[in-house]
Amino acid sequence: MIRLELLVELNYAIDQNGADFIFNIHAAHTPAQTLSGESLRLSQDIVPRIHTDAATGNRSMSLHAGPGQLKVSYMATVDLAHYRADPAQLAEVPVSSLPPDVISYLYPSRYCQSDRFIKLAISEFGQLRHGYSRVQAIRDWVNKRVTFTPNTSNSNTSAVDTIIEEVGVCRDFAHLMIALSRALSIPARFATGTDYGADPALGRPDFHAYVEVYLGERWYIFDPSGTVIPMGLVRFGTGRDAADVAIATIFGGVIGQAPIIRAVAQEDGSRDIVLPRHCMEALSTDHGGAAMAAI
Amino acid sequence: MIRLELLVELNYAIDQNGADFIFNIHAAHTPAQTLSGESLRLSQDIVPRIHTDAATGNRSMSLHAGPGQLKVSYMATVDLAHYRADPAQLAEVPVSSLPPDVISYLYPSRYCQSDRFIKLAISEFGQLRHGYSRVQAIRDWVNKRVTFTPNTSNSNTSAVDTIIEEVGVCRDFAHLMIALSRALSIPARFATGTDYGADPALGRPDFHAYVEVYLGERWYIFDPSGTVIPMGLVRFGTGRDAADVAIATIFGGVIGQAPIIRAVAQEDGSRDIVLPRHCMEALSTDHGGAAMAAI
Amino acid sequence: MIRLELLVELNYAIDQNGADFIFNIHAAHTPAQTLSGESLRLSQDIVPRIHTDAATGNRSMSLHAGPGQLKVSYMATVDLAHYRADPAQLAEVPVSSLPPDVISYLYPSRYCQSDRFIKLAISEFGQLRHGYSRVQAIRDWVNKRVTFTPNTSNSNTSAVDTIIEEVGVCRDFAHLMIALSRALSIPARFATGTDYGADPALGRPDFHAYVEVYLGERWYIFDPSGTVIPMGLVRFGTGRDAADVAIATIFGGVIGQAPIIRAVAQEDGSRDIVLPRHCMEALSTDHGGAAMAAI
Amino acid sequence: MIRLELLVELNYAIDQNGADFIFNIHAAHTPAQTLSGESLRLSQDIVPRIHTDAATGNRSMSLHAGPGQLKVSYMATVDLAHYRADPAQLAEVPVSSLPPDVISYLYPSRYCQSDRFIKLAISEFGQLRHGYSRVQAIRDWVNKRVTFTPNTSNSNTSAVDTIIEEVGVCRDFAHLMIALSRALSIPARFATGTDYGADPALGRPDFHAYVEVYLGERWYIFDPSGTVIPMGLVRFGTGRDAADVAIATIFGGVIGQAPIIRAVAQEDGSRDIVLPRHCMEALSTDHGGAAMAAI
């Protein structure tokens, strides 16, 4: 089991009109990702609405904050007992057999215009053996072709830009991998959370964006940016792309500061708590199709 | 009450590998749109999977068809008892009060890049009184600015193109209106169905795309293209934009023919069945928020 | 020597306001492309202005036509005595040694956004030996990657679209090859004219778009579409991209008919007139740098 | 007469391969803009090539610099004796009467996709009386609609982006005004130089981008950004758009520092040298059509 002590602290200055916020900073609830402790503190005296989505386990928080400062502090002890699978056993699922709530992850979205990539995806990956290894080939292709370069992309940058300019940050790697996967009729979605194991040269601990692909009967983790140890990723939200699960979607006149993030893995041999490490198995924090109704 | 006799006939030639299809051609199930009769015929001996989405009432059909011809015939008798409201009573809903399943219709999508329109939308509509009349002003602005012109747009055309080029078909009008609405934090979604009342000069009866906007406590119909009588629209699917509710999303080597569509309104004074007509009230085929759990 | 009998016939219906036209349908004047006969007929009694550009040899014709029909018939006997070079001898020219009037063909243009392709071009071609063979590698890459498919592109389609969607017509192949060349600091320009040797399955004789690249001390012909016999290309105009040398740029309310084009190669052994054929030499219809002043 | 003392200082660190540069930092040579003194210093011992373009008066400098530091210092005493005209007398020129070397400024370019703006431009400006006042209306429309906001645009931002997002810097204002003008068949080009009279709150003296429009028989100055006193603009280069007349186009591995710029207007009543001021007349630093041959 993996255990991470998580801290997220966000600070905003809100203008005289107040502002609405939708946050995606809670660790998702899934059978494989559970919480042994959690606390949320808001510096304003407001009661947020927290909604858990049954299909994804996302917990989004919406609130209206008044003028002045808003500080949001979230702490959690997150336990990860990944579902692990042998990549060789993970098949792509024919469209006509996909669960209904997975279908929408085949469709193009704001930042993943998969409809435009069909010919390219088939040229590059159409001849490969279907299954996990093909998805891994897409991941490797994106990882090799795109160079991680801060400040080369912005909130308008999409897969169409990244495939041409070949630079970006984790979000851009994720969007391109998603677009290529969907172009091959493989459901793929965008996941956000905290990074783990990133080279300190890339900067302070930060939020991370990665990819989940539906294979066999659940969603598996891929990190096309190649910057983290996937086993140490805490999942906040999953969605079609970055538009759906922004850390904070803000409606109003707000100035934000750089977030403070900490994700520290625990180690305790006596309780079988180990550090995240690179591994060859396929990892999922998702419940399988059958478990869904039970949530 | 409105009653329409609906016929949709689709014909495809499928190559030797067969193909997967996802169709959105069933009339949606909502309290205000019910069916007194329905039949589906497929020329191949296959059992489709039909999934009804609880939140929207969409009924999507997925199937795998073998090589050769596929003919899909759908007939339905659709009864519409619109929820009607006084536009003056319909308020915009603050983000922090929106139902969770409405939130995602605030976010930008493949064809509705609302994140890029915020300044423009505020310049044009920011000073208007909030509520139904503001949404109507957006609808009128799009209707006036864009010229309905067949064959000027394609499957890659998005709101960003339409606002510059100012031409398009019903789908393009809808995408632009949705993008502008979302840019003002007003939830808006894309709806497909059959048209009614369109000028024969625009061509044979066809599918239609229009807009639903969330006001008060439900989704109301707007037709930015101005080509139809909204009261006569049968709703198939609703989604983020055209990517979500294509009439047919096809995976495989398939050649399609032009669809055959017929939507004939019945009239029977003895049973209070009247013809669709233009009206000043706000119309919805949606259940309200409270009714949702009951579906 | 190559000799082609050329006919271009264009027909327009002009509305009551009349219209301005700029045509690029005259065979360019260069030392290697000369005319032994030429005639132009206009169905309206107007005197066109024909301007020969000293740097390129382009001859553009501008005129104002009145309401009604306009028929433009151009016939020419075009003699091509290509400058031929051994590809192995053709070097890329350092930017600081380029003639001033070649410099602008390094810059991005409407349809060739070379500034966005720099990393991609260096990844794909940066390690290749500089010179004609590298340009040939770019040509082959474009030819292999893009599939010639009528009706997949339009007047807004640019290199950025073609590299993603990988389909197009001759103009799109040309734009992509130009963008990639410029991204490597190799001057490249767009050329229009008539095709020759195209497979009749691609349709009737038509205008053709191809590429000229500056190597050694002049512009050499490349055909990334791979549809023609380059030796049989008559050159009309050259420019930054298709925006500069449209067959007809029209200002006004005009409906055009499909053009009629004929380019028939002559053969006369006694006068050393041979048919165009594929060859391994580099071909140019351009005068070299030194000759420029003499035009 | 206006006299400005100009200083431009550029500093680069060049990697071990050396680099090619094309600079546009020399004051253009025109009858209305002359130099009573000029000096150029390069910190490396290299002889640059300086080319004066006959049609525009642009003086571009190309050079190859070795590894290490490169400092470019340019100083000039620039005298401006603007050609002045009564705006009411300045007509738009029919396409068929435009001088040949003006025609290319009707065509779309990298950052000014005028082909996409035709309907919008006609909707907004088509009914206005033709002439200088219509161009002024375009200038005012852009000035009002777009908000000057540093760091909202980048080297990929074009008129298509600016019309949607409505933010940018002087370059973006210029591109949008050019695109709209060309969409109405009015030749327009991009000009660079030094600003004058800008509000110090916008930052230190900087390069400036503005617009020249062809009316009557020459190019007149417009400043859609509204940040400067046009009479004090020193013109470096003019081109299709920013791609053509970058201050420095760099080919190689180079890191640049922020430029140092100073443009100080002199005042000397005894010699009739006055300070730039806002005025109602149309201003041009261009020679007229007739003078062109004489350059």
Side-chain angles (χ1 to χ4, degrees), chain B residues 9-136:
Chain B
E9 188 182 304
L10 305 172
N11 285 279
Y12 300 100
I14 302 169
D15 76 14
Q16 73 285 358
N17 300 308
D20 288 313
F21 292 79
I22 302 172
F23 292 101
N24 284 285
I25 55 168
H26 285 72
H29 275 177
T30 80
Q33 177 175 287
T34 54
L35 298 172
S36 40
E38 188 179 44
S39 77
L40 174 79
R41 252 172 303 180
L42 301 174
S43 65
Q44 294 193 14
D45 183 22
I46 40 182
V47 180
R49 228 170 23 141
I50 299 178
H51 172 71
T52 303
D53 183 69
T56 58
N58 290 354
R59 293 190 298 149
S60 63
M61 171 169 71
S62 56
L63 56 84
H64 179 84
Q69 296 298 312
L70 174 68
K71 177 179 189 160
V72 179
S73 305
Y74 174 75
M75 302 209 313
T77 302
V78 182
D79 293 337
L80 287 162
H82 290 94
Y83 180 89
R84 288 150 183 265
D86 174 2
Q89 303 303 317
L90 293 178
E92 298 177 20
V93 183
V95 168
S96 54
S97 304
L98 288 171
D101 67 339
V102 171
I103 294 278
S104 69
Y105 298 100
L106 289 175
Y107 297 144
S109 60
R110 171 68 178 89
Y111 297 111
C112 307
Q113 303 94 333
S114 47
D115 52 304
R116 302 188 65 189
F117 287 93
I118 291 174
K119 183 165 176 296
L120 188 154
I122 291 174
S123 305
E124 294 286 345
F125 310 108
Q127 302 310 313
L128 300 184
R129 196 186 142 92
H130 291 203
Y132 186 96
S133 61
R134 180 157 81 146
V135 177
Q136 185 69 30

Side-chain angles (χ1 to χ4, degrees), chain B residues 107-114 117 138 142 146 153-163 168-183 188-192 209-212 222-225 239-246:
Chain B
Y107 297 144
S109 60
R110 171 68 178 89
Y111 297 111
C112 307
Q113 303 94 333
S114 47
F117 287 93
I138 300 170
V142 171
V146 181
S153 59
N154 58 39
S155 66
N156 189 28
T157 304
S158 71
V160 155
D161 300 306
T162 305
I163 204 166
V169 295
C170 54
R171 151 193 170 117
D172 305 303
F173 284 81
H175 285 152
L176 181 52
M177 180 177 170
I178 292 168
L180 291 168
S181 300
R182 290 182 192 163
R189 67 186 190 186
F190 186 87
T192 58
Y210 56 102
V211 176
E212 293 188 348
F222 291 84
D223 179 42
S225 77
R240 299 272 200 100
D241 60 26
D244 280 11
V245 284

Side-chain angles (χ1 to χ4, degrees), chain C residues 22-35:
Chain C
I22 302 172
F23 291 102
N24 283 285
I25 56 168
H26 286 72
H29 275 176
T30 79
Q33 179 176 287
T34 54
L35 297 171

Side-chain angles (χ1 to χ4, degrees), chain A residues 94-118:
Chain A
V95 169
S96 53
S97 304
L98 288 171
D101 68 338
V102 171
I103 294 278
S104 69
Y105 298 100
L106 288 176
Y107 296 144
S109 60
R110 170 68 178 89
Y111 297 111
C112 307
Q113 303 94 332
S114 47
D115 52 304
R116 302 188 66 190
F117 286 93
I118 291 174

Side-chain angles (χ1 to χ4, degrees), chain A residues 209-291:
Chain A
Y210 56 102
V211 177
E212 293 188 348
V213 175
Y214 195 85
L215 292 164
E217 57 175 17
R218 70 187 71 218
W219 293 97
Y220 289 90
I221 296 170
F222 290 85
D223 178 43
S225 77
T227 55
V228 305
I229 299 177
M231 200 184 283
L233 294 170
V234 172
R235 195 221 288 181
F236 295 167
T238 57
R240 299 273 199 98
D241 59 27
D244 280 11
V245 284
I247 296 302
T249 305
I250 301 173
F251 305 83
V254 173
I255 297 168
Q257 293 176 23
I260 296 166
I261 296 155
R262 207 165 52 222
V264 181
Q266 309 299 304
E267 188 170 21
D268 182 346
S270 70
R271 295 154 69 202
D272 204 28
I273 295 176
V274 299
L275 294 179
R277 62 185 188 286
H278 284 289
C279 75
M280 300 303 291
E281 292 170 290
L283 297 178
S284 174
T285 57
D286 190 41
H287 39 72

Side-chain angles (χ1 to χ4, degrees), chain D residues 61-121:
Chain D
M61 172 170 70
S62 56
L63 56 84
H64 179 84
Q69 296 297 312
L70 174 67
K71 177 178 189 162
V72 179
S73 306
Y74 174 75
M75 303 209 311
T77 302
V78 183
D79 293 336
L80 288 163
H82 291 93
Y83 181 89
R84 289 149 183 265
D86 174 3
Q89 304 304 316
L90 294 178
E92 297 177 21
V93 183
V95 168
S96 54
S97 303
L98 288 171
D101 67 340
V102 172
I103 295 277
S104 69
Y105 298 100
L106 288 176
Y107 297 144
S109 61
R110 171 68 179 89
Y111 298 110
C112 307
Q113 303 94 332
S114 48
D115 52 303
R116 302 189 66 190
F117 286 94
I118 291 174
K119 184 165 175 296
L120 188 154

Side-chain angles (χ1 to χ4, degrees), chain D residues 3-278:
Chain D
R3 169 166 293 173
L4 290 121
E5 294 295 340
L6 189 69
L7 166 71
V8 174
E9 190 183 304
L10 304 171
N11 284 280
Y12 300 99
I14 302 168
D15 76 13
Q16 73 285 355
N17 301 310
D20 288 314
F21 291 80
I22 302 172
F23 291 102
N24 284 286
I25 55 169
H26 285 72
H29 275 176
T30 80
Q33 177 175 289
T34 54
L35 298 172
S36 39
E38 188 179 44
S39 76
L40 173 79
R41 251 172 303 181
L42 302 173
S43 66
Q44 294 193 12
D45 184 22
I46 40 181
V47 179
R49 230 174 16 146
I50 300 177
H51 172 71
T52 303
D53 182 69
T56 59
N58 290 354
R59 292 190 298 148
S60 63
M61 172 170 70
S62 56
L63 56 84
H64 179 84
Q69 296 297 312
L70 174 67
K71 177 178 189 162
V72 179
S73 306
Y74 174 75
M75 303 209 311
T77 302
V78 183
D79 293 336
L80 288 163
H82 291 93
Y83 181 89
R84 289 149 183 265
D86 174 3
Q89 304 304 316
L90 294 178
E92 297 177 21
V93 183
V95 168
S96 54
S97 303
L98 288 171
D101 67 340
V102 172
I103 295 277
S104 69
Y105 298 100
L106 288 176
Y107 297 144
S109 61
R110 171 68 179 89
Y111 298 110
C112 307
Q113 303 94 332
S114 48
D115 52 303
R116 302 189 66 190
F117 286 94
I118 291 174
K119 184 165 175 296
L120 188 154
I122 291 174
S123 305
E124 295 285 345
F125 311 108
Q127 302 310 314
L128 300 183
R129 197 187 141 92
H130 290 202
Y132 186 97
S133 62
R134 179 156 84 144
V135 177
Q136 185 69 30
I138 300 170
R139 182 259 168 220
D140 292 348
W141 189 92
V142 171
N143 178 256
K144 183 174 170 214
R145 183 163 287 241
V146 181
T147 302
F148 194 99
T149 320
N151 302 317
T152 52
S153 59
N154 58 38
S155 66
N156 190 28
T157 304
S158 70
V160 155
D161 300 304
T162 305
I163 205 166
I164 294 166
E165 290 162 10
E166 303 190 340
V167 292
V169 294
C170 55
R171 151 192 170 118
D172 304 303
F173 284 81
H175 285 153
L176 180 52
M177 178 175 172
I178 292 167
L180 291 168
S181 301
R182 291 183 192 162
L184 296 164
S185 308
I186 304 172
R189 67 187 190 186
F190 187 87
T192 57
T194 49
D195 67 9
Y196 179 85
D199 185 339
L202 292 175
R204 299 185 311 167
D206 200 355
F207 296 116
H208 190 63
Y210 57 102
V211 176
E212 293 188 348
V213 175
Y214 195 86
L215 292 164
E217 58 176 13
R218 70 187 72 216
W219 293 97
Y220 289 90
I221 296 171
F222 291 84
D223 179 42
S225 78
T227 55
V228 305
I229 300 176
M231 200 184 284
L233 294 170
V234 173
R235 194 222 288 183
F236 292 168
T238 57
R240 298 272 200 102
D241 60 27
D244 280 12
V245 284
I247 296 301
T249 305
I250 301 172
F251 305 83
V254 172
I255 297 168
Q257 294 176 24
I260 296 166
I261 296 156
R262 205 165 53 220
V264 181
Q266 308 300 304
E267 188 170 19
D268 183 346
S270 71
R271 293 154 71 201
D272 203 28
I273 295 175
V274 299
L275 294 180
R277 62 184 187 286
H278 285 290

